[in-house]
């Protein structure tokens, strides 16, 4: 999940060529996915539109395998959430300036908007490869939210494909019911809304995963001693530090004679 940030956008002619190429490739892949289901034209339109926007903005990280993988998954297995991302693009544009954030988007396999669709104030939201509600990205904590938390959701949508929205929303619904039952039977001393939110949102395995990668588990909004006690995986910052250390040791090691 890329964090080699650049604010350099492709030159106009190169952007147009890349947009046409990625739109053609994405549309073709999406059509192949939709053809057995009898919806080749709608899926091709989604794949083509996503490819055109991503190509024009230089989103995909073509110099690394993960950029090609992101492009392929966005137009195939991850197509349901890519469809939702088109709505997020519209919301990001309609909310006006400050809008698109190039240095968190270009060659990062994602689109980042400072505003856009925000069901809850202060919270960013990711739909497919589009992140809305990034906010003040000059703040280090807010930038890390994008690179180490919301980017995880981009890849969750790619890896889990059509299962992702079903599982995420299904947990939220079941968690809300379960949270209400827990409040009635065991947590009456806590606020009802906080118990339900902790169960439906914070304990959602996809959120647990993202907050763990962000080195932010447990989050402040979750009820203490409720649900998962430990992070589910290593923080991305620790992974990057380990990789940097290995490269430094390798570069500094003596050359065998």
């Amino acid at each position: 999940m890329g964090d080699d940030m650049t604010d350099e956008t492709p030159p106009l002619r190169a952007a147009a060529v890349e947009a046409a190429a990625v739109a053609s490739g994405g549309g073709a892949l999406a059509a192949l996915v939709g053809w057995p289901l009898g919806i080749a034209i709608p899926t091709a339109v989604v794949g083509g539109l996503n490819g055109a926007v991503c190509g024009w903005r230089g989103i995909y990280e073509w110099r690394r395998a993960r950029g090609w993988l992101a492009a392929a998954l966005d137009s195939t297995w991850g197509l349901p959430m890519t469809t939702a991302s088109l709505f997020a693009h519209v919301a990001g544009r309609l909310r006006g300036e400050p809008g698109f954030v190039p240095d968190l988007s270009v060659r990062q396999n994602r689109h980042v908007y400072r505003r856009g669709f925000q069901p809850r104030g202060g919270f960013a939201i990711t739909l497919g490869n589009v992140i809305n509600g990034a906010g003040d990205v000059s703040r280090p904590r807010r930038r890390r939210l994008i690179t180490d938390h919301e980017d995880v959701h981009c890849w969750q949508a790619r890896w889990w494909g059509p299962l992702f929205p079903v599982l995420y929303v299904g947990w939220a619904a079941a968690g809300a019911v379960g949270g209400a039952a827990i409040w009635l039977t065991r947590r009456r001393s806590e606020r009802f809304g906080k118990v339900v939110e902790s169960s439906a949102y914070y304990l959602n395995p996809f959120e647990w995963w993202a907050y763990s990668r962000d080195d932010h588990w447990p989050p402040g909004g979750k009820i203490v001693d409720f649900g998962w006690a430990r992070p589910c995986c290593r923080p991305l910052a620790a992974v990057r530090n380990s990789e940097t250390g290995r490269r430094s040791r390798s570069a500094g090691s003596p050359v065998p004679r």
Side-chain angles (χ1 to χ4, degrees), residues 8-257:
E8 295 181 3
T9 55
L12 190 61
R13 181 177 295 180
V17 171
E18 184 173 343
V22 183
S24 299
L29 285 174
L32 288 174
V33 170
W35 180 72
L37 304 174
I39 55 172
I41 292 177
T43 55
V45 169
V46 172
L49 287 174
N50 173 72
V53 178
C54 289
W56 178 258
R57 286 177 167 169
I59 296 302
Y60 291 124
E61 193 180 9
W62 300 121
R63 293 185 179 182
R64 296 190 180 185
R66 62 187 173 190
W68 291 87
L69 181 62
L73 290 173
D74 284 347
S75 294
T76 54
W77 180 239
L79 201 58
M81 292 307 296
T82 301
T83 304
S85 76
L86 299 180
F87 162 76
H89 277 302
V90 173
R93 295 293 295 176
L94 290 179
R95 290 294 302 275
E97 296 297 332
F100 181 65
V101 187
D103 69 309
L104 286 174
S105 304
V106 175
R107 306 304 177 206
Q108 304 299 309
N109 305 312
R110 61 180 179 247
H111 304 260
V112 179
Y113 292 91
R114 290 183 179 87
R115 300 178 68 186
F117 176 60
Q118 281 185 273
R120 183 174 178 182
F123 279 66
I125 184 170
T126 299
L127 296 176
N129 57 28
V130 178
I131 299 169
N132 279 178
D136 182 4
V137 293
S138 66
R139 294 160 48 201
R141 171 63 198 134
R142 202 67 185 179
R143 292 181 76 87
R144 200 180 78 191
L145 172 69
I146 301 306
T147 61
D148 291 15
H149 182 117
E150 297 303 327
D151 190 69
V152 173
H153 289 317
C154 290
W155 284 95
Q156 287 171 346
R158 290 169 177 142
W159 293 128
W160 291 81
L163 300 177
F164 177 70
V166 174
L167 294 173
Y168 191 102
V169 175
W171 180 283
V177 174
I182 290 170
W183 181 82
L184 284 170
T185 57
R186 288 185 288 169
R187 290 277 184 166
R188 295 293 292 274
S189 60
E190 307 279 359
R191 288 192 294 111
F192 174 77
K194 200 167 184 65
V195 175
V196 171
E197 179 185 45
S198 293
S199 179
Y201 172 69
Y202 288 111
L203 298 188
N204 187 315
F206 290 110
E207 293 296 341
W208 182 31
W209 180 354
Y211 277 106
S212 296
R213 282 302 206 183
D214 187 22
D215 197 15
H216 204 59
W217 190 267
K222 186 182 77 68
I223 292 177
V224 178
D225 298 326
F226 185 74
W228 328 121
R230 297 177 178 273
C232 70
C233 50
R234 291 181 69 197
L236 285 174
V239 174
R240 286 193 292 267
N241 288 338
S242 296
E243 291 174 350
T244 301
R246 282 197 299 270
R247 286 195 294 266
S248 298
R249 288 192 297 271
S250 176
S253 59
V255 178
R257 294 183 179 182

